[in-house]
Amino acid sequence: MTRQRPTFILLPLNFIGGLIALGVHLVVMSLLIMFTEINAVVASVIGFFCAIPVNYIFQRKIVFRSSARVGLQFLTYTSVTMISAVLNAILFAGLWKILHPNYILTQIIVTAVIFLLNFFVNKNITFARRR
C-alpha cells in the first residue's frame, strides 16, 4: 500500500476535481433554472447530485489513488455527500436571500465552504489509508 501524498499535493488535485464537478453542478442547475419553473434551491440540489459520481471517481482514482474495496468506501463517501447536500441546501437558501438573483455567485460561495469541508472529511475518513 502506498503512503498518502501530503496535503499540499492533494488539495490542488482535489481542487481540479472539484472544479470539474462544480462545472457539472452549475450547468445542470443553470439549465434547470433557465428552462423550467424549478425553484433555485431545488435546482442547486439536483446539480449537486449530478456532480457526485464525477467527484467520487476523480477523488478515488486521481487524488487519493485508492485501491480500497469500493463498497464500504462508496457508502462512506455517499454518507459524507448526503450531509454535504443538506448543508449545501441550507447555506444556499440562506445566502440566496442576500444575493438574489445571483444564483451563480451564491453557489460558488457555498461550494467553497463545502469543498474544504469535504476535502478534510474525505482525506481523514473516506480515503484514509488503513494500517
Side-chain angles (χ1 to χ4, degrees), residues 46-60:
I46 293 169
F48 184 91
F49 281 106
C50 288
I52 290 171
V54 173
N55 206 15
Y56 174 73
I57 292 167
F58 194 91
Q59 284 191 46
R60 178 175 168 78

Side-chain angles (χ1 to χ4, degrees), residues 80-129:
V80 169
T81 301
M82 296 306 235
I83 293 166
S84 296
V86 171
L87 184 58
N88 180 80
I90 291 167
L91 292 174
F92 185 92
L95 199 54
W96 175 246
K97 290 177 183 176
I98 298 167
L99 297 177
H100 185 275
N102 197 336
Y103 57 87
I104 297 290
L105 178 60
T106 303
Q107 189 59 63
I108 289 170
I109 293 168
V110 170
T111 298
V113 172
I114 298 293
F115 168 80
L116 289 172
L117 175 67
N118 280 351
F119 172 76
F120 287 106
V121 170
N122 283 318
K123 177 180 185 277
N124 294 302
I125 297 173
T126 308
F127 297 104
R129 304 287 176 162

Side-chain angles (χ1 to χ4, degrees), residues 25 28-47 89 92-94 96-97 100 103 107:
H25 184 158
V28 170
M29 181 181 76
S30 296
L31 290 172
L32 288 170
I33 291 170
M34 290 187 304
F35 297 111
T36 71
E37 296 293 320
I38 198 164
N39 176 280
V41 174
V42 174
S44 175
V45 171
I46 293 169
F92 185 92
W96 175 246
K97 290 177 183 176
H100 185 275
Y103 57 87
Q107 189 59 63

